[in-house]
Amino acid sequence: MDARVAIVTGASRGIGAAIAVRAAKAGYSVLVNYSSDAAGAASVVEEIRGCGGDALAHQADVSDPAAVGPMFDQAATLGPVTAVVNNAGITGNLIGDLVDVPPATVRRVMDVNVSGLIYVCQEAVRRLSTRTGGPGGSIVNISSTATKAGSPGTWAHYAASKGAVDVLTVGLASEVASQGIRVNGVAPGSTNTGLHAAAGMPDRVERLNPTIPMGRGAEPDEVAAAVMWLLSGEAGYVTGAVLPVAGGR
């Protein structure tokens, strides 16, 4: 029997890497997508293989629609793709008021976080839909609890892009529910990854801890656990949901 295959975009580090490793431990062969961090992706593949799993690293900028089909083709060499996790996302490595965000940064954030996610969802539906002979499966989109307050003074542009992710998740879930495809989202809160340091605020999660009812930020593996539940058969009647993983914040 062919292995189940999961595609995880933006999986060279942080939450994406944790999802890729968790998926492998759950029995998936994993395509570890990355845009520029080849060394990070290779490290994730090595970790998966060290645990007895199967994985491939594949470079593709999801904001380029011409790159998405070949990514799925590469994943298909591992077996039938039945799980797609849209984790690729950027903040533009910028923190500040919306008025100061350069147009080029706005465009790039929207291209990756919104357009790229749409392109991957489109290809996933083409490949997974039982209407066209596909095996069915599950799509999980990584959003953010930044959509709740809008991240004023920090990442309002990023929060706006994740709001689009939430709406897309709900709409697509309704479209493809009869085609054997479930579509859900996971919205992490403050999480201990390199995202904040890359934007110039390495202590941001620690500073936010007092505002979180559980008193701490999430670990990437805790977010990955929620993703894996949504991919699993235990969530077989769940679609169109966006699950916050934010310690009560």
Side-chain angles (χ1 to χ4, degrees):
M1 180 178 176
D2 289 331
R4 298 175 301 162
V5 176
I7 294 174
V8 184
T9 68
S12 63
R13 60 187 177 182
I15 291 172
I19 294 167
V21 172
R22 273 249 181 188
K25 290 179 178 178
Y28 287 94
S29 296
V30 185
L31 184 129
V32 177
N33 162 258
Y34 68 98
S35 178
S36 59
D37 186 6
S43 178
V44 175
V45 169
E46 182 179 357
E47 181 176 355
I48 288 172
R49 290 176 177 170
C51 296
D54 193 11
L56 291 174
H58 182 82
Q59 191 282 327
D61 181 344
V62 296
S63 71
D64 176 6
V68 174
M71 178 176 70
F72 275 77
D73 290 340
Q74 183 69 40
T77 66
L78 295 169
V81 177
T82 58
V84 176
V85 182
N86 276 303
N87 172 74
I90 61 173
T91 64
N93 289 343
L94 176 71
I95 289 180
D97 291 342
L98 181 65
V99 70
D100 296 321
V101 181
T105 299
V106 173
R107 284 193 297 270
R108 183 61 182 157
V109 168
M110 294 299 171
D111 282 348
V112 173
N113 297 4
V114 182
S115 297
L117 181 140
I118 289 173
Y119 301 147
V120 174
C121 283
Q122 288 176 320
E123 192 65 24
V125 171
R126 294 183 187 110
R127 307 275 182 137
L128 271 58
S129 174
T130 55
R131 184 177 295 174
T132 53
S138 180
I139 299 169
V140 176
N141 299 324
I142 303 302
S143 179
S144 171
T145 55
T147 59
K148 288 186 175 181
S151 289
T154 51
W155 292 330
H157 59 294
Y158 170 81
S161 75
K162 291 302 187 177
V165 170
D166 288 354
V167 174
L168 186 282
T169 297
V170 173
L172 182 61
S174 294
E175 284 189 1
V176 301
S178 64
Q179 300 177 45
I181 304 172
R182 295 185 299 107
V183 185
N184 291 290
V186 167
S190 298
T191 306
N192 290 307
T193 71
L195 185 75
H196 307 280
M201 293 183 68
D203 63 341
R204 185 167 184 262
V205 174
E206 183 178 346
R207 289 195 296 105
L208 287 172
N209 284 350
T211 72
I212 300 169
M214 290 185 69
R216 64 174 179 85
E219 295 301 326
D221 195 56
E222 293 175 306
V223 180
V227 171
M228 293 312 302
W229 179 74
L230 286 170
L231 290 178
S232 76
E234 292 183 347
Y237 198 59
V238 180
T239 196
V242 179
L243 175 64
V245 182
R249 186 170 188 261

